[in-house]
Amino acid sequence: MFKTLRAALLLALATTALAGTATAQERHLIGNFGEIGKNADFWEIRMGIAAYDTGFFSTHETDGATINGELVFPSPDFLYAIGSPRPYIGFDAGIADHPIHFFYAGLNWETYFTDRIYLSNSLGGSINTAKNLDDPKDYKALGCNVLFHLGIGVGYDFTRNFTGQLYADHFSNANTCDHNAGQESAGLRFGYRF
């Protein structure tokens, strides 16, 4: 799991390092490919639904759904040097047998590959409502109530203000606790920028 976290962090850092000190209109990774910081000045509300306990690294121990919501803030000026990521707060509310709910916060980078299609990467931390953290016989031995949060999504802008994303959330402790079952969800959400 630590390798996954490290890879996501390196991707985010590489994306922002390549942006350099260019203006918002000049931020590109390769020529006109890969614009970042496009939405740096916008607020955004995102809401969606996802499959609970579903993802590449999930243990798929239960069925159900997750209600997802995020509030994304404009990027503060001091984050300009790392690609103007936008701070976010969010939640994953599980609808399943023995659900675990997550509340999280961090930074979100968006890299546009066309005028409308983009990749969203999030990195932050979370807290959860899991009660039994260390018994692998019980559902989801997460090991800790404080976990890392990684998010990834592929988005499409229907208009300048309205967007949709196929996304996935990953929560784990990167083996900093005795158990690290991790929790993931994957689904669809929509956002409104203002």
Side-chain angles (χ1 to χ4, degrees):
M1 197 52 55
F2 181 70
K3 289 180 181 177
T4 304
L5 177 63
R6 185 174 52 193
L9 180 59
L10 289 174
L11 174 65
L13 291 175
T15 299
T16 57
L18 290 170
T21 59
T23 65
Q25 288 83 16
E26 296 170 336
R27 287 191 184 131
H28 301 288
L29 295 177
I30 304 169
N32 290 328
F33 186 76
E35 179 182 359
I36 64 172
K38 180 176 179 177
N39 299 313
D41 296 330
F42 285 87
W43 290 80
E44 186 172 342
I45 295 173
R46 299 172 178 166
M47 291 295 295
I49 191 161
Y52 189 74
D53 198 19
T54 299
F56 292 115
F57 303 103
S58 187
T59 53
H60 307 287
E61 295 177 31
T62 193
D63 293 326
T66 298
I67 304 296
N68 174 262
E70 287 185 359
L71 176 62
V72 187
F73 303 90
S75 182
D77 290 341
F78 69 88
L79 294 177
Y80 176 81
I82 60 168
S84 298
R86 295 187 296 160
Y88 65 87
I89 57 172
F91 68 89
D92 269 7
I95 303 170
D97 294 335
H98 311 291
I100 301 171
H101 311 296
F102 295 84
F103 305 92
Y104 57 88
L107 295 175
N108 176 253
W109 287 263
E110 291 175 344
T111 304
Y112 276 78
F113 299 108
T114 71
D115 286 343
R116 295 179 181 255
I117 299 172
Y118 62 92
L119 179 67
S120 175
N121 293 298
S122 298
L123 177 63
S126 71
I127 58 172
N128 63 70
T129 62
K131 292 181 177 60
N132 190 339
L133 298 169
D134 298 316
D135 184 359
K137 295 176 192 167
D138 194 13
Y139 176 61
K140 286 295 183 185
L142 295 175
C144 309
N145 282 119
V146 177
L147 303 173
F148 293 101
H149 171 248
L150 298 174
I152 191 164
V154 176
Y156 180 81
D157 289 344
F158 299 101
T159 68
R160 182 70 181 109
N161 300 98
F162 185 62
T163 190
Q165 292 182 354
L166 294 172
Y167 80 99
D169 278 333
H170 174 80
F171 301 94
S172 73
N173 63 49
N175 293 321
T176 59
C177 297
D178 288 339
H179 297 285
N180 187 25
Q183 172 69 17
E184 296 182 342
S185 59
L188 176 66
R189 65 184 172 193
F190 294 96
Y192 180 75
R193 299 186 191 106
F194 55 98

